Amino acid sequence: MSATQVRGAVVSRTPVGDYHHLVIAAEGIAESARPGHFVALAVGGADSGMLLRRAFSIYRTSTTGRHGETVEIVFAAHGKGTRWMADLAPGDPIDVVGPVGRPFALPKEPVSCVLVGGGYGSAPMFALASALRDRGCAAHLVLGAATTPRLFGVLEANKVATSVHVTTEDGSTGTRGRVTDVLPALVDDTDAAVVYACGPMGMLRAVSDVAEENGAWSQCAVEESMACGIGVCMTCVLPVEGEDGIVRMVRSCVEGPVFRGDRVRWDAVGTIPPGTLGGPR
């Protein structure tokens, strides 16, 4: 499947806790989007010196409605590009490339699954939960964040998931602690076959470890910086072990962003580990 570049337009931008919910009218993207795909947005406007796109997991899509096809994302205003996005208003133009990447793989048989979202990394988990339940799978959702304003989608989670578990590091909502504090028992109690995760890299590593220790497969949507979104610039590479046991530097935007958690060399992210194909010996 190839991505489409579209000159879209902002439909709405709504603050949600510490985040922003952005709806974009963008023809040709929604129909082929699957949970785990992302879009790459040009930021700063036509006269901006910000050349690199910003990548965001797709939260929801719609193929019908008065605005035509729409794509929805959730983002935090951290840097210059996302602060520009936080000032967008309805009708503002925005250049969109999508859907990009490799989405989450769905089980072929009905099994129990656990879905873990950290902060606004929970965005793709709601469509994934719906897709899993359509296949007869149980979808147990864990949402975690440092504090309540950094959670996303708790109310929606109760509508789409088989069960919902919430953690905050300050204890302001749900269980005090991190997602990995509740995850081992949940994977064991539900006899989960697959654990899906999206969020900060440190969380993904921890979730992958918990899944492996409890006999479950993990699929992790990584958050490496993705500048071009089409595999050309090589800014988003990370070390991943292949089926043949060889570690390669692979592009998150093309081969990912979803990877098997047990294949990613989490300890070496940001480096080229010794023994990597084509790397240092």
Side-chain angles (χ1 to χ4, degrees), residues 197 199-209 212 218-224 238-240 257 259-271:
M201 296 295 275
M203 187 203 83
L204 297 182
R205 177 180 184 175
V207 169
S208 173
D209 288 343
E212 189 170 7
S218 62
Q219 294 187 38
C220 299
V222 302
E223 289 190 335
E224 285 295 280
L238 77 166
V240 177
F259 295 98
R260 269 180 49 178
D262 63 331
R263 295 291 187 184
V264 178
R265 285 286 305 274
W266 300 107
D267 59 331
V269 170
T271 71

PDB file of all heavy atoms in Angstrom, residues 197 199-209 212 218-224 238-240 257 259-271:
ATOM      1  N   ALA A 197       1.191  -2.355  22.310  1.00  0.00           N
ATOM      2  CA  ALA A 197       1.592  -1.187  23.085  1.00  0.00           C
ATOM      3  C   ALA A 197       1.966  -0.027  22.176  1.00  0.00           C
ATOM      4  O   ALA A 197       2.508  -0.215  21.084  1.00  0.00           O
ATOM      5  CB  ALA A 197       2.770  -1.524  24.000  1.00  0.00           C
ATOM      6  N   GLY A 199       3.526   4.086  22.993  1.00  0.00           N
ATOM      7  CA  GLY A 199       3.869   5.077  24.002  1.00  0.00           C
ATOM      8  C   GLY A 199       5.355   5.332  24.000  1.00  0.00           C
ATOM      9  O   GLY A 199       6.059   4.986  23.043  1.00  0.00           O
ATOM     10  N   PRO A 200       5.877   5.914  25.070  1.00  0.00           N
ATOM     11  CA  PRO A 200       7.309   6.221  25.148  1.00  0.00           C
ATOM     12  C   PRO A 200       8.166   4.964  25.026  1.00  0.00           C
ATOM     13  O   PRO A 200       7.752   3.865  25.411  1.00  0.00           O
ATOM     14  CB  PRO A 200       7.454   6.855  26.538  1.00  0.00           C
ATOM     15  CG  PRO A 200       6.090   7.343  26.886  1.00  0.00           C
ATOM     16  CD  PRO A 200       5.135   6.384  26.252  1.00  0.00           C
ATOM     17  N   MET A 201       9.386   5.130  24.517  1.00  0.00           N
ATOM     18  CA  MET A 201      10.252   3.981  24.254  1.00  0.00           C
ATOM     19  C   MET A 201      10.553   3.190  25.528  1.00  0.00           C
ATOM     20  O   MET A 201      10.609   1.962  25.507  1.00  0.00           O
ATOM     21  CB  MET A 201      11.549   4.452  23.596  1.00  0.00           C
ATOM     22  CG  MET A 201      11.343   5.078  22.228  1.00  0.00           C
ATOM     23  SD  MET A 201      10.716   3.919  20.987  1.00  0.00           S
ATOM     24  CE  MET A 201      12.256   3.172  20.432  1.00  0.00           C
ATOM     25  N   GLY A 202      10.762   3.895  26.651  1.00  0.00           N
ATOM     26  CA  GLY A 202      11.026   3.186  27.897  1.00  0.00           C
ATOM     27  C   GLY A 202       9.866   2.300  28.311  1.00  0.00           C
ATOM     28  O   GLY A 202      10.063   1.175  28.801  1.00  0.00           O
ATOM     29  N   MET A 203       8.647   2.781  28.111  1.00  0.00           N
ATOM     30  CA  MET A 203       7.464   1.986  28.413  1.00  0.00           C
ATOM     31  C   MET A 203       7.378   0.770  27.503  1.00  0.00           C
ATOM     32  O   MET A 203       7.055  -0.339  27.945  1.00  0.00           O
ATOM     33  CB  MET A 203       6.193   2.837  28.271  1.00  0.00           C
ATOM     34  CG  MET A 203       4.928   2.140  28.721  1.00  0.00           C
ATOM     35  SD  MET A 203       3.411   2.812  27.980  1.00  0.00           S
ATOM     36  CE  MET A 203       3.389   1.942  26.399  1.00  0.00           C
ATOM     37  N   LEU A 204       7.673   0.965  26.218  1.00  0.00           N
ATOM     38  CA  LEU A 204       7.594  -0.143  25.271  1.00  0.00           C
ATOM     39  C   LEU A 204       8.570  -1.255  25.652  1.00  0.00           C
ATOM     40  O   LEU A 204       8.245  -2.437  25.569  1.00  0.00           O
ATOM     41  CB  LEU A 204       7.882   0.347  23.851  1.00  0.00           C
ATOM     42  CG  LEU A 204       6.909   1.375  23.277  1.00  0.00           C
ATOM     43  CD1 LEU A 204       7.309   1.731  21.851  1.00  0.00           C
ATOM     44  CD2 LEU A 204       5.477   0.856  23.316  1.00  0.00           C
ATOM     45  N   ARG A 205       9.765  -0.862  26.047  1.00  0.00           N
ATOM     46  CA  ARG A 205      10.750  -1.865  26.457  1.00  0.00           C
ATOM     47  C   ARG A 205      10.237  -2.657  27.656  1.00  0.00           C
ATOM     48  O   ARG A 205      10.321  -3.887  27.685  1.00  0.00           O
ATOM     49  CB  ARG A 205      12.074  -1.180  26.806  1.00  0.00           C
ATOM     50  CG  ARG A 205      13.137  -2.157  27.313  1.00  0.00           C
ATOM     51  CD  ARG A 205      14.439  -1.449  27.640  1.00  0.00           C
ATOM     52  NE  ARG A 205      15.470  -2.404  28.030  1.00  0.00           N
ATOM     53  CZ  ARG A 205      16.729  -2.079  28.273  1.00  0.00           C
ATOM     54  NH1 ARG A 205      17.119  -0.809  28.154  1.00  0.00           N
ATOM     55  NH2 ARG A 205      17.607  -3.005  28.618  1.00  0.00           N
ATOM     56  N   ALA A 206       9.681  -1.951  28.647  1.00  0.00           N
ATOM     57  CA  ALA A 206       9.180  -2.619  29.841  1.00  0.00           C
ATOM     58  C   ALA A 206       7.996  -3.524  29.522  1.00  0.00           C
ATOM     59  O   ALA A 206       7.889  -4.650  30.027  1.00  0.00           O
ATOM     60  CB  ALA A 206       8.792  -1.576  30.886  1.00  0.00           C
ATOM     61  N   VAL A 207       7.091  -3.060  28.672  1.00  0.00           N
ATOM     62  CA  VAL A 207       5.937  -3.868  28.285  1.00  0.00           C
ATOM     63  C   VAL A 207       6.384  -5.112  27.530  1.00  0.00           C
ATOM     64  O   VAL A 207       5.869  -6.222  27.755  1.00  0.00           O
ATOM     65  CB  VAL A 207       4.963  -3.038  27.427  1.00  0.00           C
ATOM     66  CG1 VAL A 207       3.900  -3.925  26.780  1.00  0.00           C
ATOM     67  CG2 VAL A 207       4.299  -1.966  28.273  1.00  0.00           C
ATOM     68  N   SER A 208       7.351  -4.951  26.636  1.00  0.00           N
ATOM     69  CA  SER A 208       7.878  -6.092  25.885  1.00  0.00           C
ATOM     70  C   SER A 208       8.462  -7.136  26.826  1.00  0.00           C
ATOM     71  O   SER A 208       8.241  -8.346  26.654  1.00  0.00           O
ATOM     72  CB  SER A 208       8.935  -5.612  24.898  1.00  0.00           C
ATOM     73  OG  SER A 208       9.576  -6.693  24.258  1.00  0.00           O
ATOM     74  N   ASP A 209       9.194  -6.682  27.838  1.00  0.00           N
ATOM     75  CA  ASP A 209       9.785  -7.612  28.805  1.00  0.00           C
ATOM     76  C   ASP A 209       8.705  -8.366  29.572  1.00  0.00           C
ATOM     77  O   ASP A 209       8.798  -9.588  29.777  1.00  0.00           O
ATOM     78  CB  ASP A 209      10.683  -6.851  29.782  1.00  0.00           C
ATOM     79  CG  ASP A 209      11.981  -6.362  29.144  1.00  0.00           C
ATOM     80  OD1 ASP A 209      12.334  -6.862  28.062  1.00  0.00           O
ATOM     81  OD2 ASP A 209      12.627  -5.472  29.739  1.00  0.00           O
ATOM     82  N   GLU A 212       7.041 -11.028  27.317  1.00  0.00           N
ATOM     83  CA  GLU A 212       7.902 -12.197  27.107  1.00  0.00           C
ATOM     84  C   GLU A 212       7.988 -13.057  28.356  1.00  0.00           C
ATOM     85  O   GLU A 212       7.933 -14.291  28.275  1.00  0.00           O
ATOM     86  CB  GLU A 212       9.292 -11.741  26.678  1.00  0.00           C
ATOM     87  CG  GLU A 212      10.197 -12.874  26.231  1.00  0.00           C
ATOM     88  CD  GLU A 212      11.472 -12.395  25.580  1.00  0.00           C
ATOM     89  OE1 GLU A 212      11.733 -11.177  25.573  1.00  0.00           O
ATOM     90  OE2 GLU A 212      12.223 -13.248  25.069  1.00  0.00           O
ATOM     91  N   SER A 218       4.393  -9.663  21.837  1.00  0.00           N
ATOM     92  CA  SER A 218       4.136  -8.232  21.951  1.00  0.00           C
ATOM     93  C   SER A 218       4.335  -7.556  20.604  1.00  0.00           C
ATOM     94  O   SER A 218       5.196  -7.943  19.815  1.00  0.00           O
ATOM     95  CB  SER A 218       5.047  -7.573  22.994  1.00  0.00           C
ATOM     96  OG  SER A 218       6.415  -7.686  22.640  1.00  0.00           O
ATOM     97  N   GLN A 219       3.501  -6.557  20.346  1.00  0.00           N
ATOM     98  CA  GLN A 219       3.632  -5.693  19.176  1.00  0.00           C
ATOM     99  C   GLN A 219       3.687  -4.260  19.676  1.00  0.00           C
ATOM    100  O   GLN A 219       2.756  -3.792  20.343  1.00  0.00           O
ATOM    101  CB  GLN A 219       2.450  -5.875  18.219  1.00  0.00           C
ATOM    102  CG  GLN A 219       2.378  -7.238  17.567  1.00  0.00           C
ATOM    103  CD  GLN A 219       1.284  -7.284  16.508  1.00  0.00           C
ATOM    104  OE1 GLN A 219       1.062  -6.332  15.771  1.00  0.00           O
ATOM    105  NE2 GLN A 219       0.589  -8.410  16.445  1.00  0.00           N
ATOM    106  N   CYS A 220       4.785  -3.578  19.359  1.00  0.00           N
ATOM    107  CA  CYS A 220       5.023  -2.241  19.887  1.00  0.00           C
ATOM    108  C   CYS A 220       5.108  -1.229  18.760  1.00  0.00           C
ATOM    109  O   CYS A 220       5.870  -1.422  17.804  1.00  0.00           O
ATOM    110  CB  CYS A 220       6.329  -2.213  20.689  1.00  0.00           C
ATOM    111  SG  CYS A 220       6.342  -3.336  22.117  1.00  0.00           S
ATOM    112  N   ALA A 221       4.342  -0.159  18.862  1.00  0.00           N
ATOM    113  CA  ALA A 221       4.415   0.951  17.911  1.00  0.00           C
ATOM    114  C   ALA A 221       5.406   1.960  18.476  1.00  0.00           C
ATOM    115  O   ALA A 221       5.138   2.603  19.487  1.00  0.00           O
ATOM    116  CB  ALA A 221       3.048   1.595  17.720  1.00  0.00           C
ATOM    117  N   VAL A 222       6.567   2.082  17.825  1.00  0.00           N
ATOM    118  CA  VAL A 222       7.651   2.890  18.370  1.00  0.00           C
ATOM    119  C   VAL A 222       7.449   4.365  18.061  1.00  0.00           C
ATOM    120  O   VAL A 222       6.727   4.748  17.148  1.00  0.00           O
ATOM    121  CB  VAL A 222       9.020   2.417  17.838  1.00  0.00           C
ATOM    122  CG1 VAL A 222       9.246   0.955  18.188  1.00  0.00           C
ATOM    123  CG2 VAL A 222       9.130   2.639  16.337  1.00  0.00           C
ATOM    124  N   GLU A 223       8.157   5.208  18.822  1.00  0.00           N
ATOM    125  CA  GLU A 223       8.039   6.657  18.678  1.00  0.00           C
ATOM    126  C   GLU A 223       9.361   7.274  18.242  1.00  0.00           C
ATOM    127  O   GLU A 223       9.772   8.310  18.759  1.00  0.00           O
ATOM    128  CB  GLU A 223       7.579   7.289  19.993  1.00  0.00           C
ATOM    129  CG  GLU A 223       6.136   6.998  20.349  1.00  0.00           C
ATOM    130  CD  GLU A 223       5.639   7.838  21.515  1.00  0.00           C
ATOM    131  OE1 GLU A 223       6.474   8.286  22.332  1.00  0.00           O
ATOM    132  OE2 GLU A 223       4.420   8.043  21.620  1.00  0.00           O
ATOM    133  N   GLU A 224      10.061   6.637  17.308  1.00  0.00           N
ATOM    134  CA  GLU A 224      11.266   7.250  16.767  1.00  0.00           C
ATOM    135  C   GLU A 224      10.902   8.470  15.914  1.00  0.00           C
ATOM    136  O   GLU A 224       9.828   8.519  15.318  1.00  0.00           O
ATOM    137  CB  GLU A 224      12.030   6.250  15.897  1.00  0.00           C
ATOM    138  CG  GLU A 224      12.783   5.198  16.707  1.00  0.00           C
ATOM    139  CD  GLU A 224      13.896   5.810  17.543  1.00  0.00           C
ATOM    140  OE1 GLU A 224      14.973   6.086  17.000  1.00  0.00           O
ATOM    141  OE2 GLU A 224      13.673   6.000  18.742  1.00  0.00           O
ATOM    142  N   LEU A 238      16.336   2.045  13.804  1.00  0.00           N
ATOM    143  CA  LEU A 238      16.619   1.450  15.102  1.00  0.00           C
ATOM    144  C   LEU A 238      16.993  -0.015  14.893  1.00  0.00           C
ATOM    145  O   LEU A 238      16.633  -0.623  13.861  1.00  0.00           O
ATOM    146  CB  LEU A 238      15.453   1.597  16.067  1.00  0.00           C
ATOM    147  CG  LEU A 238      14.226   0.705  15.946  1.00  0.00           C
ATOM    148  CD1 LEU A 238      13.384   0.804  17.208  1.00  0.00           C
ATOM    149  CD2 LEU A 238      13.388   1.093  14.748  1.00  0.00           C
ATOM    150  N   PRO A 239      17.731  -0.607  15.839  1.00  0.00           N
ATOM    151  CA  PRO A 239      18.221  -1.976  15.658  1.00  0.00           C
ATOM    152  C   PRO A 239      17.146  -3.021  15.953  1.00  0.00           C
ATOM    153  O   PRO A 239      16.568  -3.043  17.044  1.00  0.00           O
ATOM    154  CB  PRO A 239      19.380  -2.074  16.653  1.00  0.00           C
ATOM    155  CG  PRO A 239      19.034  -1.085  17.726  1.00  0.00           C
ATOM    156  CD  PRO A 239      18.259   0.019  17.063  1.00  0.00           C
ATOM    157  N   VAL A 240      16.907  -3.878  14.971  1.00  0.00           N
ATOM    158  CA  VAL A 240      15.902  -4.932  15.113  1.00  0.00           C
ATOM    159  C   VAL A 240      16.496  -6.246  14.622  1.00  0.00           C
ATOM    160  O   VAL A 240      17.121  -6.297  13.559  1.00  0.00           O
ATOM    161  CB  VAL A 240      14.628  -4.589  14.300  1.00  0.00           C
ATOM    162  CG1 VAL A 240      13.618  -5.731  14.388  1.00  0.00           C
ATOM    163  CG2 VAL A 240      14.004  -3.297  14.803  1.00  0.00           C
ATOM    164  N   PRO A 257       5.730   1.495  11.985  1.00  0.00           N
ATOM    165  CA  PRO A 257       6.255   1.668  13.332  1.00  0.00           C
ATOM    166  C   PRO A 257       5.984   0.515  14.273  1.00  0.00           C
ATOM    167  O   PRO A 257       6.436   0.529  15.408  1.00  0.00           O
ATOM    168  CB  PRO A 257       5.513   2.924  13.816  1.00  0.00           C
ATOM    169  CG  PRO A 257       4.184   2.847  13.124  1.00  0.00           C
ATOM    170  CD  PRO A 257       4.494   2.297  11.755  1.00  0.00           C
ATOM    171  N   PHE A 259       6.579  -3.128  15.603  1.00  0.00           N
ATOM    172  CA  PHE A 259       7.555  -4.209  15.595  1.00  0.00           C
ATOM    173  C   PHE A 259       7.216  -5.219  16.679  1.00  0.00           C
ATOM    174  O   PHE A 259       6.598  -4.877  17.687  1.00  0.00           O
ATOM    175  CB  PHE A 259       8.973  -3.678  15.864  1.00  0.00           C
ATOM    176  CG  PHE A 259       9.516  -2.771  14.809  1.00  0.00           C
ATOM    177  CD1 PHE A 259       9.452  -1.398  14.963  1.00  0.00           C
ATOM    178  CD2 PHE A 259      10.091  -3.289  13.661  1.00  0.00           C
ATOM    179  CE1 PHE A 259       9.955  -0.547  13.991  1.00  0.00           C
ATOM    180  CE2 PHE A 259      10.595  -2.447  12.683  1.00  0.00           C
ATOM    181  CZ  PHE A 259      10.530  -1.077  12.850  1.00  0.00           C
ATOM    182  N   ARG A 260       7.650  -6.445  16.474  1.00  0.00           N
ATOM    183  CA  ARG A 260       7.592  -7.417  17.561  1.00  0.00           C
ATOM    184  C   ARG A 260       8.521  -6.946  18.666  1.00  0.00           C
ATOM    185  O   ARG A 260       9.701  -6.661  18.444  1.00  0.00           O
ATOM    186  CB  ARG A 260       8.026  -8.790  17.061  1.00  0.00           C
ATOM    187  CG  ARG A 260       6.903  -9.648  16.547  1.00  0.00           C
ATOM    188  CD  ARG A 260       7.380 -10.998  16.065  1.00  0.00           C
ATOM    189  NE  ARG A 260       8.261 -11.696  17.000  1.00  0.00           N
ATOM    190  CZ  ARG A 260       8.765 -12.914  16.787  1.00  0.00           C
ATOM    191  NH1 ARG A 260       8.475 -13.556  15.667  1.00  0.00           N
ATOM    192  NH2 ARG A 260       9.550 -13.485  17.669  1.00  0.00           N
ATOM    193  N   GLY A 261       7.998  -6.873  19.872  1.00  0.00           N
ATOM    194  CA  GLY A 261       8.785  -6.335  20.970  1.00  0.00           C
ATOM    195  C   GLY A 261      10.044  -7.116  21.262  1.00  0.00           C
ATOM    196  O   GLY A 261      11.071  -6.539  21.638  1.00  0.00           O
ATOM    197  N   ASP A 262       9.980  -8.446  21.083  1.00  0.00           N
ATOM    198  CA  ASP A 262      11.154  -9.265  21.393  1.00  0.00           C
ATOM    199  C   ASP A 262      12.233  -9.174  20.329  1.00  0.00           C
ATOM    200  O   ASP A 262      13.324  -9.719  20.500  1.00  0.00           O
ATOM    201  CB  ASP A 262      10.742 -10.718  21.617  1.00  0.00           C
ATOM    202  CG  ASP A 262      10.128 -11.359  20.372  1.00  0.00           C
ATOM    203  OD1 ASP A 262       9.530 -10.626  19.557  1.00  0.00           O
ATOM    204  OD2 ASP A 262      10.248 -12.580  20.214  1.00  0.00           O
ATOM    205  N   ARG A 263      11.944  -8.487  19.213  1.00  0.00           N
ATOM    206  CA  ARG A 263      12.923  -8.348  18.146  1.00  0.00           C
ATOM    207  C   ARG A 263      13.705  -7.032  18.227  1.00  0.00           C
ATOM    208  O   ARG A 263      14.774  -6.906  17.636  1.00  0.00           O
ATOM    209  CB  ARG A 263      12.237  -8.423  16.773  1.00  0.00           C
ATOM    210  CG  ARG A 263      11.599  -9.769  16.473  1.00  0.00           C
ATOM    211  CD  ARG A 263      12.629 -10.839  16.267  1.00  0.00           C
ATOM    212  NE  ARG A 263      12.036 -12.091  15.816  1.00  0.00           N
ATOM    213  CZ  ARG A 263      12.727 -13.214  15.626  1.00  0.00           C
ATOM    214  NH1 ARG A 263      14.027 -13.228  15.849  1.00  0.00           N
ATOM    215  NH2 ARG A 263      12.117 -14.304  15.218  1.00  0.00           N
ATOM    216  N   VAL A 264      13.161  -6.043  18.925  1.00  0.00           N
ATOM    217  CA  VAL A 264      13.826  -4.745  19.016  1.00  0.00           C
ATOM    218  C   VAL A 264      14.949  -4.819  20.048  1.00  0.00           C
ATOM    219  O   VAL A 264      14.765  -5.334  21.152  1.00  0.00           O
ATOM    220  CB  VAL A 264      12.827  -3.639  19.411  1.00  0.00           C
ATOM    221  CG1 VAL A 264      13.550  -2.300  19.559  1.00  0.00           C
ATOM    222  CG2 VAL A 264      11.715  -3.529  18.382  1.00  0.00           C
ATOM    223  N   ARG A 265      16.113  -4.303  19.703  1.00  0.00           N
ATOM    224  CA  ARG A 265      17.227  -4.212  20.647  1.00  0.00           C
ATOM    225  C   ARG A 265      17.069  -2.938  21.458  1.00  0.00           C
ATOM    226  O   ARG A 265      17.675  -1.913  21.189  1.00  0.00           O
ATOM    227  CB  ARG A 265      18.549  -4.224  19.879  1.00  0.00           C
ATOM    228  CG  ARG A 265      18.962  -5.583  19.327  1.00  0.00           C
ATOM    229  CD  ARG A 265      19.454  -6.511  20.444  1.00  0.00           C
ATOM    230  NE  ARG A 265      20.533  -5.860  21.188  1.00  0.00           N
ATOM    231  CZ  ARG A 265      21.812  -5.902  20.839  1.00  0.00           C
ATOM    232  NH1 ARG A 265      22.187  -6.569  19.754  1.00  0.00           N
ATOM    233  NH2 ARG A 265      22.729  -5.282  21.555  1.00  0.00           N
ATOM    234  N   TRP A 266      16.188  -3.003  22.447  1.00  0.00           N
ATOM    235  CA  TRP A 266      15.839  -1.819  23.217  1.00  0.00           C
ATOM    236  C   TRP A 266      17.048  -1.197  23.904  1.00  0.00           C
ATOM    237  O   TRP A 266      17.132   0.030  24.041  1.00  0.00           O
ATOM    238  CB  TRP A 266      14.777  -2.180  24.272  1.00  0.00           C
ATOM    239  CG  TRP A 266      13.511  -2.729  23.706  1.00  0.00           C
ATOM    240  CD1 TRP A 266      13.081  -4.018  23.744  1.00  0.00           C
ATOM    241  CD2 TRP A 266      12.494  -1.996  23.000  1.00  0.00           C
ATOM    242  NE1 TRP A 266      11.870  -4.140  23.109  1.00  0.00           N
ATOM    243  CE2 TRP A 266      11.481  -2.926  22.654  1.00  0.00           C
ATOM    244  CE3 TRP A 266      12.347  -0.657  22.634  1.00  0.00           C
ATOM    245  CZ2 TRP A 266      10.336  -2.547  21.958  1.00  0.00           C
ATOM    246  CZ3 TRP A 266      11.206  -0.274  21.949  1.00  0.00           C
ATOM    247  CH2 TRP A 266      10.214  -1.205  21.614  1.00  0.00           C
ATOM    248  N   ASP A 267      17.990  -2.044  24.323  1.00  0.00           N
ATOM    249  CA  ASP A 267      19.160  -1.533  25.028  1.00  0.00           C
ATOM    250  C   ASP A 267      20.095  -0.745  24.120  1.00  0.00           C
ATOM    251  O   ASP A 267      20.977  -0.028  24.599  1.00  0.00           O
ATOM    252  CB  ASP A 267      19.938  -2.684  25.672  1.00  0.00           C
ATOM    253  CG  ASP A 267      20.414  -3.718  24.662  1.00  0.00           C
ATOM    254  OD1 ASP A 267      19.747  -3.885  23.615  1.00  0.00           O
ATOM    255  OD2 ASP A 267      21.447  -4.362  24.913  1.00  0.00           O
ATOM    256  N   ALA A 268      19.904  -0.867  22.822  1.00  0.00           N
ATOM    257  CA  ALA A 268      20.811  -0.229  21.873  1.00  0.00           C
ATOM    258  C   ALA A 268      20.124   0.805  21.000  1.00  0.00           C
ATOM    259  O   ALA A 268      20.707   1.267  20.018  1.00  0.00           O
ATOM    260  CB  ALA A 268      21.481  -1.295  21.004  1.00  0.00           C
ATOM    261  N   VAL A 269      18.877   1.158  21.313  1.00  0.00           N
ATOM    262  CA  VAL A 269      18.178   2.173  20.515  1.00  0.00           C
ATOM    263  C   VAL A 269      18.970   3.484  20.576  1.00  0.00           C
ATOM    264  O   VAL A 269      19.413   3.916  21.637  1.00  0.00           O
ATOM    265  CB  VAL A 269      16.744   2.385  21.031  1.00  0.00           C
ATOM    266  CG1 VAL A 269      16.106   3.602  20.368  1.00  0.00           C
ATOM    267  CG2 VAL A 269      15.905   1.144  20.755  1.00  0.00           C
ATOM    268  N   GLY A 270      19.155   4.104  19.423  1.00  0.00           N
ATOM    269  CA  GLY A 270      19.950   5.321  19.350  1.00  0.00           C
ATOM    270  C   GLY A 270      21.402   5.069  19.026  1.00  0.00           C
ATOM    271  O   GLY A 270      22.188   6.012  18.872  1.00  0.00           O
ATOM    272  N   THR A 271      21.774   3.782  18.898  1.00  0.00           N
ATOM    273  CA  THR A 271      23.144   3.414  18.551  1.00  0.00           C
ATOM    274  C   THR A 271      23.108   2.370  17.444  1.00  0.00           C
ATOM    275  O   THR A 271      22.039   1.862  17.067  1.00  0.00           O
ATOM    276  CB  THR A 271      23.898   2.838  19.748  1.00  0.00           C
ATOM    277  OG1 THR A 271      23.373   1.515  20.070  1.00  0.00           O
ATOM    278  CG2 THR A 271      23.765   3.717  20.975  1.00  0.00           C
TER     279      THR A 271
END
